Amino acid sequence: MAAHLARLLGVVVASIWVLSWAEIPELIGLVLALFFLPCFNALFDWVSYGTTIFLLQKGQAKRGGWPFLCGVADVVAAGVIFAALAASLVVILAQINLWRGDILVDVRAILDQPGAHLWVIAMIASTLVPTLVHLGLALFSLITWVPVPFWQRGVDRLLDQEDTMGGWWAAARLSGALVGVYGGFLFLGGAVLWALWQFGAVIVSGYVAWLHVLLDWIGSPVVPVVI
């Protein structure tokens, strides 16, 4: 694993060197599209997958409410990794522009009009895939919050052919437990989605503004004007 990571990092460093100094447009486009962007994104994908696997194993080992808590922790970690990926791309591409003395990738245009550059957003968003899978598995673990003896007693009453009323009562209790656990999650999830719907635009605009601050801090290349 370490050897693969080292080779991946080597490709990224070599790509940055080529993008900074090469003058052949075809070579620049090839390196940017097939080497730098995929491999740079793969570094953060590796971190994202590693974090998800670590938290998934930790939650599975401790059981109880830990699988769900580890899923929530994975969401927080994914947000940090996503922000680090976007910030790193802005910094490196802006620095490449400075080294070249012209605009190789118009980072400011991507930030100003993200809808016109959906392929960049889709590539960055791939780091969230393992987290979404982990969160889905964590949701299934909610059922483990109900003690096993509760389920066992309910199943035994359901299988008791002589106690019809007890079977109905057991079915009602089991159904109520399912509705209570997942209904509570749906309520919480609905509240989170409502908050994102109400404040999502503010969050995104603040995030983009922060990337603009990074871009302004690095600066832009000074391209001579021909009169």
Side-chain angles (χ1 to χ4, degrees), residues 107-127:
V107 182
R108 197 174 298 278
I110 295 176
L111 295 179
D112 290 337
Q113 296 180 323
H117 305 85
L118 292 178
W119 65 275
V120 178
I121 298 175
M123 181 195 69
I124 296 176
S126 68
T127 60

Side-chain angles (χ1 to χ4, degrees), residues 18 23-24 48 64 74 78-79 101 104 112 120 129 136 141-142 146-147 149 151 153 157 162 188 190-191 209 217 220:
V18 172
E23 298 295 338
I24 305 174
S48 180
D74 197 7
L104 176 65
D112 290 337
V120 178
V129 171
S141 74
L142 288 175
V146 181
W151 298 111
R153 287 194 299 270
R157 295 288 294 273
E162 298 181 357
L188 178 62
W217 174 69
S220 302

Side-chain angles (χ1 to χ4, degrees), residues 190-202:
V192 172
L193 291 176
W194 178 86
L196 290 176
W197 178 264
Q198 295 294 321
F199 305 107
V202 177

Side-chain angles (χ1 to χ4, degrees), residues 19 31 36 67 93 102 136 185 200 210:
L19 294 174
V31 171
F36 173 70
L93 291 176
D102 59 12
F185 164 73
W210 171 65

Side-chain angles (χ1 to χ4, degrees), residues 14-16 18-19 26-38:
S15 300
I16 292 175
V18 172
L19 294 174
E26 292 79 6
L27 176 62
I28 293 173
L30 183 68
V31 171
L32 181 66
L34 298 183
F35 292 95
F36 173 70
L37 289 177

Side-chain angles (χ1 to χ4, degrees), residues 75-157:
V75 172
V76 176
V80 174
I81 294 171
F82 184 85
L85 170 58
S88 300
L89 271 178
V90 167
V91 170
I92 291 177
L93 291 176
Q95 189 61 53
I96 289 174
N97 289 340
L98 283 176
W99 285 332
R100 292 185 60 85
D102 59 12
I103 304 297
L104 176 65
V105 177
D106 195 344
V107 182
R108 197 174 298 278
I110 295 176
L111 295 179
D112 290 337
Q113 296 180 323
H117 305 85
L118 292 178
W119 65 275
V120 178
I121 298 175
M123 181 195 69
I124 296 176
S126 68
T127 60
L128 300 177
V129 171
T131 298
L132 295 176
V133 174
H134 183 192
L135 187 59
L137 294 175
L139 297 181
F140 282 109
S141 74
L142 288 175
I143 203 65
T144 63
W145 292 16
V146 181
V148 173
F150 174 87
W151 298 111
Q152 188 62 52
R153 287 194 299 270
V155 171
D156 291 341
R157 295 288 294 273

Side-chain angles (χ1 to χ4, degrees), residues 14-15 19 52 55 61 63 113 136 150 162 194 203 205 212 226:
S15 300
L19 294 174
T52 295
L55 291 173
R63 300 184 178 278
Q113 296 180 323
F150 174 87
E162 298 181 357
W194 178 86
I203 295 173
S205 62
H212 271 291
V226 179

